[in-house]
Amino acid sequence: MTATDRSTELITVAAQAAADKLAHDIIAYDVSDVLSITDAFLLASAPNDRQVKSIVDEIEERLNQQLGAKPVRREGDRDARWILLDYVDIVVHVQHSEERVFYALERLWKDCPEIELPEEAKATRGKAEAHARQQADEAGEAM
């Protein structure tokens, strides 16, 4: 079984929205063979809580405007460290960079096939690591 065309369409729009809001390390997995509750996961991260919330808001708005999709559940808003949007067909995880490293969802789903994403979304790979290096360099210069 593979992700449906609808799931792929939702993932593509969500990934583009995340990329437009400067999310880091956007990746999507087709989990339809291992989970019966959803077809695909989209993972993205950001270096601060405000950006996590901004990314999630943009994803939710675009999916609603472009595809008429609304999440059945939205969790994690209070702390904005890991916000989950459940669209039944797909689940979107936007995490603070620290949570992304700690929970390492990619490690759990690495055996699942990746879903092709727009170029802007693929270009975000490695941005979290680059951002962390830049922050460390700036902290070192401030000393």
Side-chain angles (χ1 to χ4, degrees):
M1 199 165 146
T2 59
T4 65
D5 290 342
R6 173 71 173 169
S7 297
T8 304
E9 184 179 34
L10 290 165
I11 287 286
T12 300
V13 170
Q16 185 63 55
D20 289 347
K21 284 294 183 177
L22 307 178
H24 295 168
D25 299 316
I26 302 168
I27 192 165
Y29 293 102
D30 179 340
V31 296
S32 62
D33 283 343
V34 293
L35 291 176
S36 60
I37 58 172
T38 192
D39 281 349
F41 282 164
L42 178 72
L43 311 176
S45 56
N48 62 63
D49 303 351
R50 278 184 34 203
Q51 191 175 359
V52 167
K53 187 155 178 25
S54 177
I55 292 164
V56 169
D57 289 344
E58 185 68 15
I59 290 170
E60 192 170 6
E61 185 176 321
R62 291 251 193 109
L63 287 175
N64 186 22
Q65 286 178 348
Q66 294 180 19
L67 302 175
K70 293 182 181 181
V72 295
R73 188 174 60 187
R74 179 174 171 152
E75 294 183 5
D77 269 327
R78 184 183 310 170
D79 296 329
R81 302 284 295 182
W82 180 350
I83 300 178
L84 179 143
L85 294 173
D86 183 353
Y87 286 89
V88 180
D89 294 328
I90 70 166
V91 176
V92 177
H93 300 268
V94 182
Q95 300 172 295
H96 189 286
S97 298
E98 293 170 2
E99 269 69 12
R100 181 87 178 256
V101 170
F102 183 79
Y103 290 101
L105 294 178
E106 290 91 338
R107 193 176 60 226
L108 293 173
W109 306 110
K110 69 180 181 206
D111 293 333
C112 295
E114 280 187 42
I115 295 173
E116 187 68 24
L117 297 176
E119 287 303 316
E120 294 88 350
K122 288 194 277 187
T124 67
R125 306 274 172 87
K127 293 243 176 162
E129 187 177 326
H131 184 268
R133 273 196 310 273
Q134 178 185 0
Q135 295 293 94
D137 290 347
E138 289 172 5
E141 289 174 7
M143 295 179 139

